[in-house]
Structure formats: structure tokens, C-alpha cells
Amino acid sequence: MTAASGAPTVKCLVWDLDDTLWNGVVLEGDDPEPFPAALETLAELDRRGILHAAASRGERSVTQRHLTERGLAEWFCAVRVGWGAKSASVRRIAKALNLGLDTIAFVDNDAVERAEVASELPMVRCYRADEVGQLPELREFRPEHITAEATGRRLLYRTEWQRHEAEEEFTDGRQAFLDSLGLVMEVRPATEEDLSRASELTVRTHQLNSTGLTYGIDELRRLSASPDHQVRLARLRDRFGDYGIIGLAVTELVGRDSVLRLMLMSCRVASRGAGSVLLHHLIQRALADGRRPVAHFTPTEVNRNLLVTMRFAGYGTTAEEQNRLVLAVDPQRPPGKAPGHTRVIAGAA
């Protein structure tokens, strides 16, 4: 096993198929059954919200047919079958699902394949096929929270894979593709039923997190009940389906300022411009209430893109406090229109 100490929880396990998930080689005419231990691990990790994908050698149509006939296809949110390097397949899966490579694990019966992935993608944790049954016992496969949203994550990401394939086939340009999605974002106050998912977002999301703060359920409950705070969640959908809850904003009302203490966005919707849409909405709500939009930002190694997004949304630096930036929007110079490819629905304040 190659689990790195202190590495983040695994979000996606990428499987080799032949002689790893099942006992045999499909392209050689076998009709192999899945290993019982593999089935148990598929089900248990899925229950915890950990995704499954496949990177295997062979012919895609033959492999996909066998996955379907054996009732296995629904477990996998992404499947890449071909003859190229496994590391390239793993990289493309991570990109398509908007997951960091340090949250990917890979399992294969072939030591050469594992070595190739480990050499090209050292942040990906690699495991032998005979270790599959032990994976659920490892710390890196134990998320801190297991929510109703987590257990449905596979369906969300399967839909995301369909979007990815549709985008690859789309020929009229990126903006036209975004316009074709029919994106709708609902922004509303968090309810008691949302608190587990909201807390989970603060723990799981790093790249699009403005301050790196994490909030437990009790703290979010207290802030939601406070007249001086606003805890809002963003949900996104398009013509393919529902992305689920993908954003969180925690705002404190201080005098005439509306101070954004934390804004985060799931990495899997970064390519949809969802961060810009949420920021513009929060700014417009603050201005409509007669308040100056202010935001705190703590730079990290991975959230620089969010700072760029905030700058484009209209935030300018007003102060630096140790390692934190204080940003604000000038009410006399409000930002321009929000990205036009997403319609925003505001829930009750």
C-alpha cells in the first residue's frame, strides 16, 4: 500500500478491471464474475460517498457490455478503456470530475501498471488488487461525514461524466456549450437538514475556499440562528440533472458592512463559472440592503483562482492583516452584470 501520511481523504477509487475487479480477461473471451471482496468494497465505499471509476485496457464497447451485463456499470461514475498509459487515464478522469489528484486512489493487479501511475502521478495512492477487501478499513477511505448527499454522490458524478462527454463532442465553443446547459442556481438560507452537508463542504473543499475555515454542525447552527449572520447554500442544476448543494457562504453583518467570512464552491462546478455567479449574487444582495460588500481572503497554495474570481466580481484590496486580505466592493462603483449563462433563484431570506 502507498498511503501518504496526512494525505486528504480519498474521493475517488480508480479500478483496473481485468483480474482486479473480476477474475478473468474480457477481451480474451472470458465471462468473469466480480470478486466477492471487490463487490463488498464497491458497496461500502459508495455508501461513504467515495466515487468509483475505471481505467482499464481493452476495447471500450466489449468492457462496457460486460459491466452492464454483470450489473456493475451503475457503480462507476467514469470509465476509460483503451491502450494508452494508465496514468493518462487517471489524469483525465480526475480532470473530468474536477477532483484533485491527491484525492485519487488507484488499484491494479499489475505491478508495472501501479509503478507507472506512481511514477507519473506520485500524489495518487496505489494499491494491489489483493488489498481491495482491506481498503474500507484504512483511514484514508473514512470520510469524517457520511451524509444523505454523500451516499448519492455517485449519481451526481455519473451525470457529470455525461456532461463531460457531451462537452467533448460539442463543436460550437465553450460559451455556447455553457449557454446550452440551461444552468439554474438556487441560493437560500441553510436549514437544519442542510447543516451536515454544509459542514462537509468546509472540510472537503480547498481550491475554491476563501479563508480555509471549517465549521462544525453546532457552529453552523449557532450562526444560522444569529441575527448578525447569514448562512446561505447554493444548489445548481442544468438540463442533465441536479448537481446538488455546491456552495456555501457565511456572512457577518458588521455596522453597514456585509462581511463575507467564508465563501466556498465545490471544485466540480468550477468550470461552470458557479463561483462568479454566487459572488455576484451576494454582492447584489448586500448592495440592495444598503450595505458595503466586504470579504476576507486567506491565500493558500491552491485557492489563487478564487482570488482572481473575486477581483473580477468587483472586490478590491483595502487592507492586509497578517496573512489575510480584506477586500471590499465600492458601492459607488458596483460591478457589472453577472455571467449570463446561469439564472439565479433566491430563496427566502
Side-chain angles (χ1 to χ4, degrees):
M1 299 189 184
T2 59
S5 177
T9 302
V10 171
K11 294 183 181 180
C12 180
L13 177 60
V14 180
W15 296 69
D16 170 54
L17 298 178
D18 292 328
D19 292 324
T20 298
L21 176 63
W22 49 58
N23 186 21
V25 179
V26 173
L27 201 59
E28 293 180 359
D30 295 339
D31 184 22
E33 295 185 4
F35 292 109
L39 288 177
E40 292 176 6
T41 294
L42 278 170
E44 178 57 24
L45 297 188
D46 180 77
R47 186 188 70 82
R48 299 177 189 181
I50 295 174
L51 307 174
H52 296 292
S56 193
R57 298 200 180 279
E59 297 296 335
R60 177 177 173 80
S61 60
V62 176
T63 300
Q64 193 66 53
R65 182 169 62 249
H66 188 70
L67 283 168
T68 301
E69 290 174 350
R70 286 292 179 178
L72 299 169
E74 293 299 316
W75 290 111
F76 292 89
C77 62
V79 176
R80 293 201 65 86
V81 179
W83 301 104
K86 292 281 183 74
S87 62
S89 292
V90 171
R91 190 187 299 275
R92 293 190 69 177
I93 288 169
K95 181 178 180 181
L97 300 179
N98 282 309
L99 297 174
L101 286 166
D102 62 345
T103 67
I104 302 293
F106 174 69
V107 59
D108 198 305
N109 68 297
D110 191 321
V112 174
E113 301 283 23
R114 296 195 305 273
E116 189 272 332
V117 170
S119 175
E120 294 296 319
L121 306 173
M123 66 291 290
V124 171
R125 285 158 278 185
C126 299
Y127 303 88
R128 302 192 313 270
D130 60 7
E131 297 172 319
V132 159
Q134 305 168 39
L135 297 186
E137 302 173 11
L138 302 180
R139 178 192 299 179
E140 58 266 32
F141 290 92
R142 292 183 172 274
E144 183 175 352
H145 300 285
I146 300 176
T147 66
E149 182 107 10
T151 58
R153 186 167 288 124
R154 164 170 48 102
L155 299 180
L156 296 176
Y157 277 86
R158 277 180 61 84
T159 304
E160 184 59 28
W161 184 254
Q162 294 170 5
R163 293 183 182 102
H164 173 72
E165 293 191 318
E167 185 172 6
E168 284 192 336
E169 297 171 1
F170 202 84
T171 60
D172 294 337
R174 172 147 189 82
Q175 187 57 52
F177 175 71
L178 290 175
D179 292 339
S180 75
L181 289 175
L183 287 158
V184 177
M185 179 183 290
E186 179 189 8
V187 183
R188 58 173 174 79
T191 65
E192 179 67 27
E193 291 74 22
D194 298 323
L195 296 182
S196 291
R197 172 57 176 162
S199 179
E200 180 191 36
L201 272 174
T202 71
V203 174
R204 293 176 61 93
T205 304
H206 305 286
Q207 295 180 17
L208 297 179
N209 187 320
S210 61
T211 55
L213 295 174
T214 60
Y215 290 100
I217 294 175
D218 290 341
E219 178 69 1
L220 286 170
R221 183 179 293 114
R222 184 186 68 80
L223 293 174
S224 296
S226 167
D228 297 325
H229 291 83
Q230 297 170 337
V231 180
R232 295 190 182 101
L233 291 175
R235 190 178 193 103
L236 193 67
R237 66 177 186 269
D238 66 11
R239 63 183 173 89
F240 287 96
D242 194 349
Y243 293 80
I245 295 172
I246 46 78
L248 170 69
V250 178
T251 303
E252 182 178 5
L253 306 179
V254 182
R256 300 308 303 167
D257 288 345
S258 178
V259 183
L260 189 58
R261 299 289 188 188
L262 171 69
M263 200 286 279
L264 58 81
M265 185 65 57
S266 173
C267 296
R268 61 191 172 88
V269 296
S271 63
R272 303 294 181 253
S276 294
V277 174
L278 179 57
L279 281 170
H280 276 81
H281 174 76
L282 296 172
I283 290 170
Q284 295 302 325
R285 286 294 297 266
L287 292 173
D289 291 340
R291 297 182 181 275
R292 182 179 68 142
V294 177
H296 291 170
F297 186 86
T298 302
T300 68
E301 294 181 358
V302 296
N303 70 354
R304 179 177 174 80
N305 284 343
L306 180 56
L307 179 58
V308 174
T309 300
M310 296 178 78
R311 300 267 192 219
F312 275 109
Y315 284 102
T317 302
T318 61
E320 295 188 24
E321 302 174 352
Q322 296 180 341
N323 65 334
R324 185 179 68 182
L325 300 177
V326 179
L327 312 171
V329 174
D330 184 351
Q332 302 303 316
R333 301 177 60 187
K337 294 182 179 180
H341 59 269
T342 302
R343 182 166 63 93
V344 178
I345 300 173

